[in-house]
Amino acid sequence: MHNAATMRSLFSLALALPLASALPVEPRDAPQFVITDLKATFPYPDGPYGVPAVDSFVNMAVTYPDPSSPTTATTTTSCRLAWPRGIDPGPTAWTPCADPALQVRLPADGWTRTTNFTVELWETLTPSGTGLDASNLLTHNPNDPDAYLLCIQMGKFNPLTCTLTGPMGQRQRQVVMPAVEESSRPA
């Protein structure tokens, strides 16, 4: 009896197998943003050789899904956030990148200090406002091999500069940020 039930199950499976293999399989990459380069300058008010007021900025190169492509093609743009001399860097509102379909901000709930901040990216996909959203915390921590930023003062009376080379400037890094489709841009 056990053998008959097993044989029926195997026979049913054998009949279903050709149907399952006939279904089209299209692997699709999950959408993501990739920060391929980042350079930042911030005030460095500490110590006798610090610089308390500088023109601060965060410049980044971003690769992101090309909304006009029917495939998983990507495109690249640059984004810049800036604070004039005398204004302490901090959270920002949404700011268009060089390609205005992509916007960037440093959200208030992700801002710790100039060497630890969250970058959030938004790409508008449709006229109704649907788009892709992604964020990632960028940190400078010499003791954390997974930290993205290297932030150092390059000599006396120079500002703090940050790059995507990780702790101790070991190697150039990229920040891969999985994106989620949303019906509207986060407030």
Side-chain angles (χ1 to χ4, degrees):
M1 179 135 183
H2 239 302
N3 285 339
T6 303
M7 292 303 286
R8 276 193 300 267
S9 295
L10 288 174
F11 183 72
S12 297
L13 182 63
L15 288 176
L17 193 56
L19 293 174
S21 63
L23 295 174
V25 176
E26 290 184 34
R28 297 201 185 265
D29 294 333
Q32 64 185 19
F33 298 101
V34 181
I35 300 174
T36 57
D37 190 35
L38 182 142
K39 294 190 177 26
T41 296
F42 300 115
Y44 190 74
D46 301 335
Y49 303 114
V51 181
V54 297
D55 291 326
S56 300
F57 63 86
V58 175
N59 289 337
M60 63 187 87
V62 180
T63 299
Y64 60 101
D66 183 350
S68 64
S69 172
T71 65
T72 57
T74 59
T75 188
T76 302
T77 193
S78 61
C79 304
R80 180 177 175 85
L81 300 167
W83 302 264
R85 181 181 303 270
I87 302 293
D88 286 335
T92 65
W94 287 107
T95 304
C97 296
D99 176 351
L102 189 68
Q103 298 177 40
V104 63
R105 74 172 174 171
L106 306 180
D109 62 352
W111 183 267
T112 305
R113 60 184 182 274
T114 55
T115 58
N116 292 299
F117 53 88
T118 297
V119 172
E120 186 172 13
L121 295 164
W122 171 263
E123 178 185 14
T124 303
L125 297 176
T126 66
S128 66
T130 300
L132 296 174
D133 182 53
S135 63
N136 202 315
L137 176 64
L138 304 182
T139 61
H140 163 75
N141 181 349
N143 299 317
D144 180 1
D146 295 324
Y148 287 106
L149 297 175
L150 170 68
C151 299
I152 59 174
Q153 183 187 22
M154 307 282 274
K156 296 179 183 178
F157 307 111
N158 284 311
L160 186 68
T161 59
C162 299
T163 60
L164 276 183
T165 53
M168 306 310 208
Q170 296 167 342
R171 68 185 188 279
Q172 182 65 28
R173 298 201 169 187
Q174 294 186 343
V175 182
V176 177
M177 303 165 57
V180 177
E181 188 168 323
E182 301 284 349
S183 60
S184 63
R185 184 182 76 184

